[in-house]
Amino acid sequence: MPQWEALGESAVLLRWGHTLDAPINAAVHAAAAALRRACLPGIEDIAPAYASLLLRFDLDAWSAGGTRDALGALHNAIEPLLVAQPDGNTMSPRELRVPVCYGGAHGPDLAIVARHAGLSEHALIARHCAPLYRVAMLGFAPGFPYLLGLDATLHMPRRAQPRVTVPAGSVAIGGAQTGIYPNALPGGWHLLGRTPWRLFDAAREPACLLQPGDGVRFVAVTADEFAAQERADP
Amino acid sequence: MSIEVLRPGMLSTVQDLGRTGYAALGVGRSGALDTDALRLGNALLGNAATAAGLEITLHGPTLRFNTRGAFALCGADFIARLDGQTVSGWSAMAAEAGSVLELGHARSGCRAWLALAGGIDSPTVLGSRSTDLNAGLGPLPQALRRGDVLTLGAQASTPRAPSTRWSLDPRPWFALTGHAPLRLLPGRDYAHLDQSSVTALCNVEFRVAAASNRVGVRLNGATLRLTHALECVSEGCVPGVVQLPPSGQPIVLLGEHPVSGGYPRIAQIAAVDLPRLAQASPGSALRFVLIDLDTATRALLARQRARADLESRIHSRLAAT
């Protein structure tokens, strides 16, 4: 069961650990799914992260009846939901195949990352496309997925000088993580390629193509396929 | 019905109570940094509590009412004139078509909220009209610019028409007086502060750095240190979290903070004091005092209930006028 850490008066972090770790993250997503299904009143946000889940609640709703012990009331309501939850590892996440045009103008750091990993560019692309990644969390900016599952040989410290603007759709590596810039943003990760997908669009339903807990596999496409898909995307 | 921006002011944004429920997608709340002040302004006008107004910063905008309207300015004490006549805060004022509302600089504090009868009525984005400057979200995804035209909703008609005959006493809502320390809860990593940093946190005067904004208040003062470096993985944040980056200069998160962060968390500003923190202009001095969660919760509930009570009394009084 998670540890409960109050985060101010009207939020709590449920914590399963302190590391980037696939089984821990799966437990977080299983709990997030159980909480979303339960539709408890007075819960304003359920935000999964790598090893913890943020719950923001309506203090007034949960401290009713003269008691100020909102956390106690939440604990009593939520722990049974988590107990009833099957093992997080048994979840089968949605799996999305994200097209990526690696290298060239779309991936200006591909050669640097390949050199750092001691691989050819071709082998680097194959290794980046191999795993089934998990959307560990969305953060930094709307729709920015932090993906778990990067091959250890591809880990690489962030750039010494972050770029002022990274183009939307850039697929990148920062430390032990890989992710996709949903919009043009400043960023310090190494850029391997770009996807033509628009990951986040507030005017679209759903606004965010990737959801926390989703499985993601990268599929290499040519520059022509990239251009065709970019045009086709509404 | 609309208003037109003649001069945008230093940083004026459309804000309501914020964008709730999208943290899982990496979308923060944004919203007015003092929702009580905005809500009371809306109440004075007979608006819904969720109506969007303008948050103004240090130097306000100049606005022209294209149609007859009404407004209420709550928050810091700004120089304000309507067609040359002095405007007092915390009361509803009527404006004729063509009237120009000129908001000058803050005499004290940093921010105020201009509620407008009918509210700013642009379509919501993910359930809110709040501007999130960093994420570029909102019907107006950036600060006001000269020439912007803001559409207003239908004004509440009687029995909820705004009265210009009375005003609120801001003092319970807006204690800028003196230098009472901001109340602080120990954060998760408080126990990892070294002894001199523990002492400094509540004894040293911190100054608000110029780089502060709606995302966070950056503090200069004592350099705070942990006894050992902590490896933190990114996790959910809320306003008021006091982060300690490697520089040792703490950052307090405000309403436009990113949904997650990975710095050590040494403390948490009591929510009841966040509106006061939102008034801390660059260069101003802040002190801190530790309290416990139970005390902070009681203080917050008391403030929320007093505010709700005041809103309902304003509604009754408008209904009676």
Side-chain angles (χ1 to χ4, degrees), chain A residues 5-11 13 15 17-20 36 44-52 54 56-60 63-64 67-68 71 137-144 146 183 185 200 202-204 207-208 210-212, chain B residues 19-29 125-126 132 134-138 185-186 188 231-239 241 257-261 265 268-272 291 293-298 300-301 304-305:
Chain A
E5 289 174 14
L7 191 62
E9 301 86 343
S10 53
L13 281 174
R15 177 184 303 289
H18 292 88
T19 50
L20 308 186
R36 281 194 299 267
E44 298 176 343
D45 264 306
I46 300 168
Y50 280 113
S52 64
L54 172 72
R56 289 184 73 168
F57 56 90
D58 176 354
L59 178 62
D60 210 38
S63 60
T67 167
R68 296 188 304 271
L71 271 191
M137 61 183 291
L138 295 159
F140 170 56
F144 185 102
Y146 289 90
N183 290 303
L185 290 161
F200 185 86
R204 181 181 64 197
C208 200
L210 301 183
Q211 298 289 317
Chain B
R19 197 165 276 113
T20 300
Y22 295 94
L25 303 184
V27 176
R29 285 202 181 180
V125 172
L126 300 177
D132 183 325
N134 278 304
L137 285 179
L185 301 163
R188 181 191 63 207
E231 288 294 321
C232 299
V233 299
S234 197
E235 61 189 17
C237 288
V238 295
V241 164
H257 67 82
V259 297
S260 56
R265 295 152 178 217
Q268 171 90 31
I269 305 284
V272 72
I291 60 169
L293 181 60
D294 189 51
T295 309
T297 302
R298 259 183 291 150
L300 180 60
L301 281 170
Q304 286 180 352
R305 283 169 189 163

Side-chain angles (χ1 to χ4, degrees), chain B residues 165-189:
Chain B
R165 291 198 297 274
W166 42 273
S167 64
L168 286 184
D169 178 359
R171 282 171 296 182
W173 306 102
F174 207 76
L176 270 180
T177 50
H179 305 281
L182 293 168
R183 287 163 282 184
L184 204 63
L185 301 163
R188 181 191 63 207
D189 301 316

Side-chain angles (χ1 to χ4, degrees), chain B residues 59-76:
Chain B
H59 198 284
T62 299
L63 307 165
R64 181 170 57 219
F65 286 82
N66 290 333
T67 40
R68 215 164 173 269
F71 64 91
L73 183 64
C74 296

Side-chain angles (χ1 to χ4, degrees), chain B residues 3 13-14 52-56 61 63 112-114 116 120 144 150:
Chain B
I3 53 171
T13 57
V14 175
L54 291 177
E55 178 173 291
I56 69 174
L63 307 165
W113 292 269
L114 181 72
L116 294 151
I120 295 167
L144 289 196
L150 304 172

Side-chain angles (χ1 to χ4, degrees), chain B residues 196-318:
Chain B
S196 66
S197 299
V198 168
T199 309
L201 185 57
C202 290
N203 288 286
V204 168
E205 196 171 77
F206 289 86
R207 296 243 162 223
V208 175
S212 303
N213 53 25
R214 281 177 43 84
V215 173
V217 173
R218 292 166 179 266
L219 298 175
N220 292 326
T223 300
L224 305 181
R225 297 284 174 214
L226 302 174
T227 53
H228 58 281
L230 290 175
E231 288 294 321
C232 299
V233 299
S234 197
E235 61 189 17
C237 288
V238 295
V241 164
V242 184
Q243 296 184 329
L244 188 64
S247 69
Q249 307 294 314
I251 300 171
V252 189
L253 299 181
L254 295 180
E256 206 183 292
H257 67 82
V259 297
S260 56
Y263 287 132
R265 295 152 178 217
I266 54 169
Q268 171 90 31
I269 305 284
V272 72
D273 282 346
L274 283 174
R276 282 174 56 212
L277 182 62
Q279 296 302 335
S281 46
S284 60
L286 298 176
R287 305 185 76 94
F288 300 106
V289 60
L290 278 182
I291 60 169
D292 62 26
L293 181 60
D294 189 51
T295 309
T297 302
R298 259 183 291 150
L300 180 60
L301 281 170
R303 183 179 168 99
Q304 286 180 352
R305 283 169 189 163
R307 191 253 303 138
D309 181 49
L310 182 55
E311 284 174 303
S312 84
R313 281 190 285 130
I314 294 169
H315 284 177
S316 317
R317 191 153 164 185
L318 289 183

Side-chain angles (χ1 to χ4, degrees), chain A residues 26-220:
Chain A
V28 172
H29 290 299
L35 283 167
R36 281 194 299 267
R37 276 197 302 274
C39 291
L40 295 174
I43 299 289
E44 298 176 343
D45 264 306
I46 300 168
Y50 280 113
S52 64
L53 180 72
L54 172 72
L55 281 184
R56 289 184 73 168
F57 56 90
D58 176 354
L59 178 62
D60 210 38
W62 284 92
S63 60
T67 167
R68 296 188 304 271
D69 188 15
L71 271 191
L74 270 171
H75 190 274
N76 291 341
I78 285 173
E79 286 276 309
L81 300 172
L82 302 183
V83 171
Q85 189 58 28
D87 183 352
N89 291 316
T90 63
M91 281 205 351
S92 55
R94 204 162 66 120
E95 186 181 326
L96 292 99
R97 296 168 67 80
V98 177
V100 180
C101 178
Y102 285 93
H106 293 321
D109 300 333
L110 187 72
I112 300 163
V113 178
R115 211 161 38 242
H116 185 265
L119 296 169
S120 69
E121 292 185 14
H122 185 75
L124 165 65
I125 293 168
R127 212 167 279 200
H128 192 252
C129 287
L132 175 62
Y133 298 98
R134 173 74 73 106
V135 179
M137 61 183 291
L138 295 159
F140 170 56
F144 185 102
Y146 289 90
L147 300 176
L148 263 181
L150 184 65
D151 189 301
T153 57
L154 305 187
H155 294 186
M156 183 169 176
R158 292 167 178 75
R159 285 164 57 88
Q161 272 310 331
R163 289 182 170 90
V164 176
T165 308
V166 169
S170 292
V171 174
I173 284 177
Q177 305 165 93
T178 188
I180 310 169
Y181 288 83
N183 290 303
L185 290 161
W189 291 19
H190 302 277
L191 311 182
L192 305 186
R194 270 180 81 198
T195 177
W197 285 13
R198 283 186 59 79
L199 287 195
F200 185 86
D201 179 354
R204 181 181 64 197
E205 178 59 43
C208 200
L209 289 187
L210 301 183
Q211 298 289 317
D214 279 350
V216 168
R217 211 182 284 276
F218 292 118
V219 180

